Amino acid sequence: MPKTIADFSGFKVGDIVTLSDMQTMEEFNKMSVDFPIVEVRQYTEPNGVFKYIGYIIESPTDQQHLMILVKTMGTDFEIYIFYMDTGAPLYKAVGNQEPCPLYCLLTEDLQAMAKRIEANIAGKTETFAVTWDQQTETFGVQYEDTTGVEGICTLGEYFTNDKNEGNNNFCLIDWKGDAIKGFLEIWYGCLIKDHEIKMFHR
């Protein structure tokens, strides 16, 4: 039976995500791996155009956190798996302080995200210089999570065709606050197919 958005919504902390995508099978040398959900996020476009559900899951071996992002627009949906590259505060240089290195991700006036970003991505045997082009930037996104954080953020979504071992074609930037007291999360990841993921209530 074809899966619907109902198969991937309504899950809570402590529920289980089972992944059977090629990357997970290769990493763990198993046909499928169970990951507990440790946090749930919701991103809602201010006019209701989209709603994203982010399930933060924990690796059973090294406690690394990944995010299963379910993007929904009406009854249509896509599923991505991301890992966080950076989560760090922004600040405006004062006195002799060095400018924040993350400002390279923003426009010159620090009011929006850059249309093109670059970074080095470490692969299994080599490091790749990757350039992403912005697909969308959405301001005023309503955000809330199960840790009690809520408010407004800006989401930037990027794509690349550059060589990167195939699991970093997408970049998601979550920007809360502004350029003075803001906080950026940079996530890299890829699409997964709905038959490569199952979710279970505990």
Side-chain angles (χ1 to χ4, degrees):
M1 178 182 296
K3 292 184 178 179
T4 69
I5 185 57
D7 294 299
F8 304 103
S9 60
F11 291 88
K12 301 177 180 179
V13 172
D15 290 340
I16 299 297
V17 175
T18 300
L19 295 177
S20 57
D21 59 295
M22 187 64 65
Q23 182 180 341
T24 300
M25 288 191 288
E26 289 180 356
E27 180 178 351
F28 292 90
N29 197 28
K30 293 182 178 180
M31 294 301 294
S32 65
V33 181
D34 293 339
F35 298 79
I37 296 173
V38 296
E39 180 187 327
V40 182
R41 301 178 169 192
Q42 292 193 34
Y43 299 90
T44 305
E45 197 274 337
N47 296 309
V49 174
F50 68 71
K51 181 177 182 179
Y52 295 171
I53 308 169
Y55 296 105
I56 308 299
I57 59 176
E58 185 175 81
S59 169
T61 56
D62 57 11
Q63 296 186 314
Q64 178 187 11
H65 286 178
L66 306 170
M67 177 164 64
I68 301 298
L69 189 70
V70 183
K71 296 184 179 183
T72 71
M73 295 182 66
T75 58
D76 296 327
F77 67 95
E78 292 181 324
I79 307 171
Y80 297 74
I81 183 167
F82 286 99
Y83 69 91
M84 186 190 292
D85 176 71
T86 302
L90 288 165
Y91 63 87
K92 227 165 199 177
V94 178
N96 293 322
Q97 279 188 319
E98 291 293 325
C100 177
L102 293 179
Y103 282 167
C104 67
L105 301 176
L106 307 181
T107 54
E108 188 173 344
D109 62 5
L110 306 181
Q111 298 301 305
M113 295 182 196
K115 297 299 183 184
R116 173 170 284 187
I117 61 175
E118 299 178 355
N120 292 323
I121 300 294
K124 294 177 182 178
T125 59
E126 61 181 302
T127 298
F128 303 93
V130 179
T131 300
W132 285 270
D133 290 308
Q134 189 181 99
Q135 295 181 300
T136 63
E137 182 175 15
T138 309
F139 298 91
V141 176
Q142 298 171 346
Y143 173 88
E144 61 179 302
D145 64 37
T146 50
T147 71
V149 177
E150 59 182 32
I152 301 297
C153 72
T154 300
L155 285 184
E157 300 182 59
Y158 295 78
F159 178 77
T160 186
N161 276 316
D162 289 354
K163 182 180 178 182
N164 60 72
E165 293 188 345
N167 59 349
N168 299 294
N169 288 338
F170 295 89
C171 173
L172 175 75
I173 300 180
D174 178 339
W175 179 12
K176 298 181 179 69
D178 56 23
I180 300 174
K181 296 181 179 179
F183 193 89
L184 279 182
E185 289 182 355
I186 301 104
W187 298 81
Y188 300 134
C190 59
L191 272 164
I192 58 174
K193 299 173 182 177
D194 60 10
H195 69 265
E196 297 174 326
I197 176 174
K198 295 179 181 179
M199 302 184 68
F200 303 94
H201 293 288
R202 221 165 191 182

